[in-house]
Every structure is written in C-alpha cells, then in structure tokens.
Amino acid sequence: MLYERALRLQGDGRDGEAATCYEELLAQPLIVAAAPVPGARAPPPSLRLKSLALKNLGTILQRRGEAARALDRLLDALQLSADSGGDGVLWQRVGALAVEVGKPHLARHALEMSVAASAHNQLAAKQLRELLRSVGDDGAARHLHATAHKALPF
C-alpha cells in the first residue's frame, strides 16, 4: 500500500521518495473522490487516509522549506473534517506556516482556533500573543495573556 510505503520512507528520512508516494496516493481516484459524509459517525477510511497523507506531506514540505505548499496541504486537510475546529495542533501548524509566508490574518484565525481547541497549548498562545503584538493589537495580546494564566491547571 502506498501509504504504508510512504510512512516507512518518511521514517527512514527519505522525504523526497515519501513525498512522491503521498502525491501518488492523493492522485488515486478513490482518494480524490473522498469527501466528508454529512451525519456520519466516523469519516470513511478513504477520507481518513486522505487527511493523514495531506498532513504528512505538509510535514515533509515544511521540513524542505516549502512553507507555502505545506500550508496549502494542511489547509486541504482541515477542509476534510467537520470537526477540524477541535484539532488544535493542526491549527497551530497552519498558524505558524501562515506567519512564515506572510499571511497574518490567516495566522491569527488559525492560532485563535488552536487556542480555542486547547486552552493549555501554551506554544499556540505564545505564538498568538507575538502575532497580535506584531500587528499592533496589544489589547488583544494582553487579554490573551490574562486569560491564558487563568486557564492554567496549576
């Protein structure tokens, strides 16, 4: 199976070959056609596979310095899930890449979604505070800082 081969290659540090496998997988008709099913309890396996392949390909592209392409793949993965609002780590990755490619509005939205999904994600909160300060929204940065300290479990 292409996905298993891609994972092995990626695990062995052979990112170029792994990326090719992920791209081949994503071009398969069954995967291209995979879409969310409204009202379904769980996503179909083909949709889950598509989402995982997109995330892994995004990771490889990011490591290779292809931030814009990595961002596109992660955004594609977010669009596949009706519950993507709950994936704080994925939203954080999107936010960091959006900062890197100069899309502050997308970065803010993504980092806000990450913090909303996981109030204890201190890295996302820190990235959001830095972004808010860099765009001149010091009031929101102070509010986030105060709110984050109240949410800490200790």
Side-chain angles (χ1 to χ4, degrees), residues 17-123:
E17 293 170 81
T20 299
C21 285
Y22 288 128
E23 288 167 350
E24 285 179 35
L25 174 65
L26 291 166
Q28 297 296 311
L30 179 67
I31 302 301
V32 170
V37 177
R41 286 185 163 189
S46 58
L47 185 65
R48 180 84 176 124
L49 190 60
K50 184 176 187 177
S51 177
L52 291 170
L54 286 165
K55 291 175 192 178
N56 290 340
L57 181 56
T59 297
I60 290 171
L61 293 170
Q62 185 175 9
R63 277 199 303 248
R64 289 176 19 184
E66 298 180 49
R69 285 187 64 212
L71 178 60
D72 287 343
R73 296 299 74 79
L74 296 183
L75 288 171
D76 290 344
L78 279 171
Q79 290 180 15
L80 297 178
S81 174
D83 188 33
S84 62
D87 193 340
V89 173
L90 183 56
W91 278 112
Q92 180 190 354
R93 291 180 61 201
V94 166
L97 283 166
V99 167
E100 189 174 335
V101 300
K103 296 184 175 186
H105 297 294
L106 174 58
R108 181 177 184 162
H109 174 72
L111 291 170
E112 286 173 344
M113 291 295 290
S114 179
V115 170
S118 177
H120 302 297
N121 185 338
Q122 294 300 303
L123 181 57

